[in-house]
Amino acid sequence: AIENGINGWLRYAPLSNDQRPPNLRLPGAIMALSTNKTSPVYTAGQELQAGIKSILNQTLPLYHELDEWLGSTILVATTGQFHGVEPAATLADDGYLLRVRPGNVVIMGQTERGALYGAFDYLSRIAQGRFSDADLIANPDAPIRWVNQWDNMDGSIERGYAGASIFFRNNTIPEDLNRVSQYARLLASIGINGIVVNNVNANANLLTDANIDGLGRIADAMRPYGVQIGISLNFASPQTLGGLSTFDPLDQSVISWWVDKTNRIYRRIPDMAGYLVKANSEGQAGPLTYNRTLADGANLFAKAVQPHGGIVMFRAFVYDNHIDPADLKADRAKHAVEFFKGLDGQFLDNVVVQIKYGPIDFQVREPASPLFANIPQTNTAIELQITQEYLGQQSHLVYIAPLWKTILDFDLRADDQPSLVRDVVAGRRFSNKRGGYAGVVNVGTNTTWLGSHLAMSNLYAYGRLAWDPNQDPQALLEDWTRLTFGSDPLVLGVVTEIYMASWPAYENYTGNLGIQTLTDILYTHYGPNPASQDNNGWGQWTRVDHDGIGMDRTVSTGTGFSGQCHAEVAEKFESIETTPDDLLLWFHHVNYTHVLKSGKPVIQHFYDAHYAGAETAQTFPITWESLRNKIDTERFNDVLFRLRYQAGHSIVWRDSICQFYYNLSGIPDGTGRVGRH
Ligand code: GCW
């Protein structure tokens, strides 16, 4: 069933006659130059054949060896195999050349995986009715373009909103991995080349021989799509699984244990991408237990995977979740830099420090993490979240690409020079060899993958941005829409209108002015609960009281966080005058009556923004209604149901937040909406 969502944006819906050029001259055959069924080049041939059949109702014969066919072709090959087309020199790792001429198409990858990316690009053009000649070289901006799954071995998924795991069931890896292959297909189509399949809160039992074989089957299922697998490690495994008395990273028995495990894994999965490690954070074990540094911990694994060409993604999400709210200098936002800055230069060169985009935790608005510019001698990757943990858990539509773009374009001004986050993680800014992107996705067994048709736009945009962060989120959305719902301009207009309004609306009806999302912090991370933010050890504080709100993170009177930024950025955030309104309460504590740059007092802005956000959300189902009979009823109704829910829940949000701050401040809404009962 095409409409149930399993194909995502790879539906290959048939083009109507008016979308097809009358003199369409497709080549006579597909020539995918590999006879190896696990090669992405081979996969590319099959994908092209199936896609063209579905979109254009034309069956092109598929060949794998040059002497099988002498006519015109769609030729798929790697630079190493084929020297007829010149600009190969300008292709980077995983890049491709796509040359489309009437009756003749060349798709040449710098790697086999690159060739598959070129095939997907070509198919995406056809599916969108774009038949013009093309001659392009596409290179990825960064080598690491991974997704992370937070799947537990019992089949549950931490912060997953789409059913059970496709990777694990009953503490093993299931026999049927069909969905795993299909996921790899989607990932490859947007340029993703790696996946960490298990939760960063990792279970040591993943490393038993039986499970290593299961991981091998996962890798086998994804290999034809060029997606390499990696795994999250539990730092204490040598003790809990291996029975050693210690997990001290400098202990010889521990080192040998990890080397042996790693060698076993690579025997089964020679192309394993590497490890992901969450250590000394939120109760996870780590090297600090033995007074070893985080770099000692990371390097332990880096040495083990180094002979196999693997890498270690080491998470910077290290913080103390028992900090004292009474301490006005305490600030969770400072922890990443405090833990990592002094270690710069100590990580081996196959370690990449994986940094969440903001200093706190995937909030609706944060400044970019200053850590990106504090460890110039260290490879870095940015961690983004496709699963909408704090952003409405797929029950609210929030198109997140504009948020990501804001962070990727954030200029950290290291040494007063342009230092965009995207240039740092690409390795350009500080001349690092590795770096890139990690996106927490958490797809599940639900046929829509993420639990909502609309949420798939975020996965699509994530991959495309990781490939080229210069792209415009709206343009990516339009591509996704044409591929998902077709090219009807009305559909395009409606989807664009709703989507582009969605992040600003969500920010408005949840937490604005940089105060964070204001959701329940302690358990669900869903729904309004501003009271839960303060007076606990988690440190996502708002410092709210009867007079004012906001966390003073200045150097002069606050926690000193702003001093972790480079001079120009630090100066800007140090002063209320130069801090933009949308981050005001992230950096400053002000009275409710403080007047914003907009001319409004803070409290009135809160009321107005919450009303405006909810009002926008209420237009979503109405706007969507205009698509009745323009798209299939199954998806039309499913989306309508969700948008109606969101419209209602936005009112719950609006009223809870407005009432909470009215009760604290005692200041009524100037327009009389809040405070009269
Ligand atoms: O945001 C928090 C989540 C945890 C998650 C943690 C992390 C996997 O609430 O569920 O654990 O971040 O990123 O490690």
Side-chain angles (χ1 to χ4, degrees):
I2 274 178
E3 312 311 350
N4 70 13
I6 207 92
N7 286 304
W9 51 85
L10 297 177
R11 296 169 66 231
Y12 300 141
L15 283 188
S16 60
N17 279 337
D18 57 324
Q19 289 169 308
R20 265 173 95 110
N23 57 347
L24 177 62
R25 279 186 52 209
L26 276 183
I30 298 160
M31 175 70 67
L33 277 187
S34 174
T35 51
N36 171 3
K37 290 189 178 170
T38 68
S39 160
V41 171
Y42 190 95
T43 310
Q46 293 186 310
E47 189 74 24
L48 286 164
Q49 190 181 43
I52 288 168
K53 170 87 183 81
S54 177
I55 303 166
L56 299 171
N57 194 25
Q58 256 173 270
T59 306
L60 299 188
L62 170 59
Y63 301 106
H64 296 285
E65 285 173 290
L66 278 177
D67 55 11
E68 289 176 318
W69 169 261
L70 296 173
S72 73
T73 59
I74 301 173
L75 176 67
V76 190
T78 60
T79 46
Q81 289 170 305
F82 187 77
H83 303 280
V85 187
E86 252 342 291
T90 52
L91 284 178
D93 238 16
D94 289 352
Y96 59 87
L97 168 139
L98 175 63
R99 181 169 295 172
V100 182
R101 299 274 186 273
N104 198 307
V105 176
V106 175
I107 299 169
M108 188 167 69
Q110 197 271 334
T111 53
E112 297 194 337
R113 179 193 285 145
L116 178 58
Y117 296 160
F120 276 118
D121 184 346
Y122 178 55
L123 280 168
S124 165
R125 285 157 195 266
I126 300 179
Q128 296 182 61
R130 294 180 177 158
F131 289 94
S132 52
D133 289 2
D135 206 338
L136 65 105
I137 299 256
N139 286 319
D141 203 54
I144 297 172
R145 302 177 307 280
W146 288 17
V147 295
N148 293 175
Q149 287 280 136
W150 287 351
D151 294 32
N152 299 315
M153 294 196 61
D154 65 3
S156 63
I157 303 179
E158 183 157 350
R159 314 298 175 189
Y161 311 108
S165 172
I166 62 171
F167 296 99
F168 303 102
R169 197 182 306 147
N170 299 329
N171 299 304
T172 72
I173 289 96
E175 284 306 316
D176 179 1
L177 294 174
N178 179 37
R179 284 290 298 269
V180 170
S181 304
Q182 292 185 54
Y183 187 26
R185 172 174 173 250
L186 285 170
L187 294 176
S189 75
I190 49 173
I192 299 294
N193 58 6
I195 176 170
V196 175
V197 296
N198 65 311
N199 192 355
V200 287
N201 295 325
N203 185 334
N205 289 329
L206 184 65
L207 302 178
T208 63
D209 286 348
N211 285 332
I212 290 173
D213 185 61
L215 289 170
R217 288 187 291 107
I218 292 176
D220 296 343
M222 300 190 113
R223 188 171 295 112
Y225 293 95
V227 179
Q228 289 172 259
I229 79 155
I231 56 175
S232 299
L233 298 181
N234 183 309
F235 206 88
S237 305
Q239 191 177 67
T240 52
L241 179 67
L244 303 186
S245 61
T246 174
F247 55 88
D248 177 352
L250 299 191
D251 181 281
Q252 195 49 52
S253 66
V254 171
I255 296 170
S256 308
W257 192 89
W258 281 116
V259 166
D260 176 62
K261 268 296 167 213
T262 303
N263 292 343
R264 279 165 197 262
I265 295 169
Y266 275 96
R267 257 201 299 282
R268 179 63 182 85
I269 313 169
D271 56 355
M272 197 200 47
Y275 293 143
L276 172 63
V277 182
K278 171 179 179 179
N280 290 113
S281 176
E282 301 184 334
Q284 292 298 310
L288 302 180
T289 310
Y290 297 96
N291 287 322
R292 310 302 188 192
T293 69
L294 294 170
D296 292 332
N299 292 342
L300 164 73
F301 305 117
K303 282 184 201 143
V305 294
Q306 194 276 333
H308 306 283
I311 63 173
V312 173
M313 305 293 283
F314 197 81
R315 288 179 96 223
F317 187 65
V318 180
Y319 74 102
D320 177 3
N321 61 354
H322 297 101
I323 43 175
D324 179 8
D327 175 1
L328 293 177
K329 295 283 171 202
D331 187 357
R332 166 171 164 184
K334 291 193 297 189
H335 291 192
V337 169
E338 286 171 351
F339 276 112
F340 283 85
K341 189 180 166 89
L343 300 175
D344 193 28
Q346 295 181 29
F347 293 97
L348 293 176
D349 84 340
N350 59 335
V351 173
V352 178
V353 172
Q354 179 169 320
I355 306 170
K356 285 191 184 182
Y357 63 76
I360 295 285
D361 195 6
F362 301 134
Q363 297 301 296
V364 70
R365 174 86 61 180
E366 295 189 55
S369 170
L371 185 59
F372 289 112
N374 270 295
I375 44 173
Q377 297 174 66
T378 306
N379 301 313
T380 57
I382 187 168
E383 184 174 312
L384 304 172
Q385 210 186 30
I386 288 86
T387 191
Q388 294 170 235
E389 176 177 357
Y390 287 94
L391 302 184
Q393 306 189 354
Q394 275 98 298
S395 296
H396 290 231
L397 166 66
V398 181
Y399 181 49
I400 321 173
L403 184 168
W404 297 333
K405 185 77 172 119
T406 306
I407 298 286
L408 292 169
D409 290 346
F410 193 100
D411 189 347
L412 302 149
R413 305 300 299 167
D415 307 320
D416 301 333
Q417 299 299 312
S419 310
L420 306 192
V421 170
R422 58 180 148 95
D423 292 332
V424 173
V425 299
R428 262 191 304 277
R429 175 61 183 87
F430 299 121
S431 306
N432 298 113
K433 186 170 154 203
R434 303 169 198 272
Y437 295 75
V440 182
V441 184
N442 295 354
V443 301
T445 51
N446 185 285
T447 52
T448 64
W449 294 99
L450 283 170
S452 144
H453 292 289
L454 297 185
M456 288 296 274
S457 57
N458 287 321
L459 178 54
Y460 181 82
Y462 165 70
R464 297 278 313 266
L465 277 180
W467 179 274
D468 177 6
N470 288 306
Q471 296 178 98
D472 171 23
Q474 183 170 327
L476 297 177
L477 173 67
E478 288 168 5
D479 284 354
W480 174 81
T481 307
R482 280 186 288 260
L483 296 170
T484 303
F485 291 115
S487 298
D488 183 333
L490 182 73
V491 179
L492 212 54
V494 162
V495 172
T496 305
E497 184 187 328
I498 296 176
Y499 270 69
M500 294 314 288
S502 64
W503 174 42
Y506 190 80
E507 181 177 29
N508 273 343
Y509 67 73
T510 61
N512 39 46
L513 301 178
I515 196 60
Q516 301 179 62
T517 314
L518 297 182
T519 187
D520 174 69
I521 286 301
L522 300 178
Y523 306 103
T524 62
H525 298 181
Y526 190 74
N529 194 351
S532 70
Q533 302 262 333
D534 290 281
N535 301 314
N536 57 58
W538 291 97
Q540 292 182 226
W541 302 325
T542 67
R543 294 290 194 204
V544 72
D545 60 26
H546 292 290
D547 302 313
I549 181 169
M551 181 110 178
D552 184 350
R553 291 188 159 105
T554 63
V555 172
S556 49
T557 54
T559 68
F561 167 86
S562 63
Q564 292 185 341
C565 304
H566 282 263
E568 290 177 35
V569 180
E571 264 164 50
K572 175 174 160 188
F573 291 133
E574 183 70 16
S575 135
I576 292 190
E577 280 63 50
T578 47
T579 303
D581 282 350
D582 61 16
L583 282 170
L584 178 71
L585 303 181
W586 211 93
F587 282 102
H588 302 279
H589 182 86
V590 298
N591 284 339
Y592 292 115
T593 51
H594 171 83
V595 177
L596 296 166
K597 297 193 173 51
S598 67
K600 277 184 199 174
V602 163
I603 189 71
Q604 190 60 43
H605 179 94
F606 255 63
Y607 297 144
D608 290 350
H610 281 81
Y611 271 83
E615 198 173 306
T616 302
Q618 285 164 76
T619 65
F620 293 170
I622 297 165
T623 309
W624 184 258
E625 284 272 10
S626 59
L627 297 189
R628 194 182 286 279
N629 302 325
K630 292 283 177 188
I631 63 170
D632 55 285
T633 27
E634 186 182 332
R635 291 185 300 166
F636 172 82
N637 285 329
D638 187 75
V639 170
L640 183 62
F641 174 83
R642 279 162 195 284
L643 294 178
R644 281 183 178 151
Y645 169 82
Q646 179 175 8
H649 202 221
S650 73
I651 296 176
V652 175
W653 265 101
R654 177 196 76 189
D655 291 352
S656 317
I657 301 296
C658 288
Q659 200 60 38
F660 180 81
Y661 291 105
Y662 169 69
N663 288 342
L664 272 173
S665 68
I667 303 173
D669 171 17
T671 68
R673 293 164 302 192
V674 186
R676 272 184 304 156
H677 289 282

